[in-house]
Amino acid sequence: MKKNFILFVLIISAINSFAFEGELHYRSMVNADEFMIAASKGLIFNGVRNQTVLIKGNKTLITDNTQYCQLYDGDNGKIVLYSLACKKGLRFDYEFYRNFMATWSRDKRIIRINKKVSIELSPTIYNVEEHQLLEKYESYDMKAYKILIEHDNNNDNFDIYCINQKMPSSYYDALYHGLSIDGDKLIVKFVCHSLMKLSKIDGITKKIISKKIGAKINKQPKMYECAELKKIAARDVSDEEFSIPNEILIKDSEDIVDLYNILTEHWHVLQKNNFQIEQKQIEYEINEDWDF
């Protein structure tokens, strides 16, 4: 009897230790000021995103309603970013791109832009507050994190709600970007308010930059982003669902400038094809009904 009980406990422990396999559906909203949108040259745009996240093993594939796809393939050590709109994509070494995207990490990082250029970054302030919540997400217990990250020229304020669910490392790399949160957490709600602090610029330079980007310079550019998990579905995911369509031209890269170029082309193709993204004006505070 004792052996049977021990075996039962071991089986339950093994089941609970399995990482999630299936799909997640997120709905997110971005609202940036005019200067940030203009300066990004199309990389930042306001409106609603609907994202489908497929997970199997240590692979995470994110596809959104703008036809942009991100494959974090931890099993094969590659990250592939591709556009279904312009039929192009880039393949990066996993650690190279992961380190570049860990923008919310508390660790000092050496970011390699390309083979010749590297930048050292580390936050000046990194505060994390953790709270256990009484309310649940479906049947899951929820935990809230309040995080402040401050660098010399910008700061990010986060409110993140998570549930206990073991996830593969590729999920954390794709969605957490280095945030210091306990392991085995799946994001169900996410709010981020980013505020930049621009250096002093003389009047003539300010006019030149404003003319070049097509917008008035804001001394403190800001962007607000929020997201909510709309559906969680555990299911068997086939390897074919991670396949990259044959018509997509994939280029191996070690240069982050390539990423900027392909994102710009992606957005220009969408504009040329009169792609309409759902637009909803939101404030820099969010109501608890989460109706953006």
Side-chain angles (χ1 to χ4, degrees):
M1 183 68 181
K2 188 176 180 181
K3 287 182 179 178
N4 289 339
F5 176 75
I6 292 172
L7 180 61
F8 174 75
V9 170
L10 289 173
I11 291 171
I12 294 300
S13 298
I15 291 172
N16 290 336
S17 68
F18 289 157
F20 175 83
E21 179 176 342
E23 64 181 274
L24 309 170
H25 293 266
Y26 286 98
R27 183 168 183 257
S28 62
M29 177 76 192
V30 171
N31 190 30
D33 65 23
E34 185 181 1
F35 173 78
M36 289 193 78
I37 294 171
S40 76
K41 295 296 182 183
L43 301 187
I44 298 174
F45 52 93
N46 290 342
V48 176
R49 279 95 164 142
N50 296 305
Q51 294 178 315
T52 300
V53 183
L54 285 179
I55 298 169
K56 180 180 183 178
N58 199 18
K59 288 183 182 178
T60 297
L61 173 63
I62 304 174
T63 307
D64 68 24
N65 57 316
T66 72
Q67 304 177 63
Y68 182 64
C69 306
Q70 306 170 64
L71 173 59
Y72 282 70
D73 187 353
D75 291 335
N76 296 299
K78 297 293 180 182
I79 292 175
V80 186
L81 314 169
Y82 59 96
S83 164
L84 298 173
C86 66
K87 312 295 184 188
K88 293 181 181 179
L90 298 171
R91 181 166 43 230
F92 292 99
D93 174 76
Y94 195 100
E95 288 304 315
F96 167 79
Y97 188 76
R98 175 183 177 275
N99 184 54
F100 173 77
M101 284 301 294
T103 49
W104 297 326
S105 172
R106 68 163 73 236
D107 302 323
K108 181 182 288 187
R109 295 179 299 130
I110 305 296
I111 301 173
R112 187 161 58 88
I113 305 301
N114 53 39
K115 290 181 178 180
K116 296 181 180 179
V117 180
S118 296
I119 300 172
E120 183 177 298
L121 284 180
S122 61
T124 54
I125 296 175
Y126 202 109
N127 290 333
V128 180
E129 296 177 20
E130 183 180 326
H131 305 281
Q132 188 68 44
L133 301 176
L134 294 176
E135 63 263 36
K136 292 179 179 288
Y137 178 84
E138 297 181 351
S139 61
Y140 297 92
D141 291 330
M142 275 206 300
K143 188 173 279 191
Y145 295 86
K146 197 170 203 56
I147 302 174
L148 167 65
I149 306 173
E150 188 167 312
H151 291 82
D152 292 334
N153 61 345
N154 69 283
N155 63 60
D156 299 297
N157 285 277
F158 298 88
D159 286 289
I160 301 172
Y161 296 79
C162 302
I163 60 174
N164 289 324
Q165 171 62 59
K166 188 171 181 62
M167 305 296 289
S169 60
S170 59
Y171 169 83
Y172 299 117
D173 294 335
L175 280 85
Y176 279 71
H177 300 313
L179 278 175
S180 289
I181 293 178
D182 292 340
D184 300 346
K185 294 290 186 294
L186 186 153
I187 296 174
V188 295
K189 288 184 178 182
F190 173 98
V191 179
C192 177
H193 184 194
S194 299
L195 185 66
M196 293 181 66
K197 296 176 240 175
L198 295 182
S199 303
K200 277 191 174 183
I201 306 173
D202 64 77
I204 296 176
T205 305
K206 191 181 290 185
K207 285 182 180 179
I208 294 171
I209 295 174
S210 295
K211 187 176 180 180
K212 189 171 183 179
I213 68 173
K216 188 177 178 181
I217 291 180
N218 184 349
K219 290 182 180 178
Q220 290 193 313
K222 56 189 175 181
M223 184 172 77
Y224 182 83
E225 183 177 0
C226 54
E228 182 179 19
L229 180 64
K230 304 298 289 185
K231 180 183 177 183
I232 176 170
R235 66 172 180 84
D236 291 336
V237 179
S238 68
D239 293 334
E240 287 72 25
E241 293 178 75
F242 294 93
S243 298
I244 299 170
N246 293 330
E247 65 268 22
I248 306 296
L249 179 63
I250 301 295
K251 170 189 170 184
D252 288 304
S253 176
E254 294 182 358
D255 194 330
I256 291 299
V257 175
D258 288 340
L259 176 60
Y260 176 85
N261 292 337
I262 202 167
L263 285 171
T264 303
E265 185 176 352
H266 168 76
W267 182 238
H268 286 165
V269 170
L270 293 182
Q271 289 180 312
K272 186 178 178 181
N273 294 336
N274 294 318
F275 173 80
Q276 298 296 318
I277 191 168
E278 182 184 353
Q279 297 282 344
K280 289 195 175 183
Q281 187 64 30
I282 58 173
E283 301 300 326
Y284 284 92
E285 297 293 337
I286 192 164
N287 296 321
E288 272 307 303
D289 60 9
W290 286 79
D291 189 21
F292 297 148

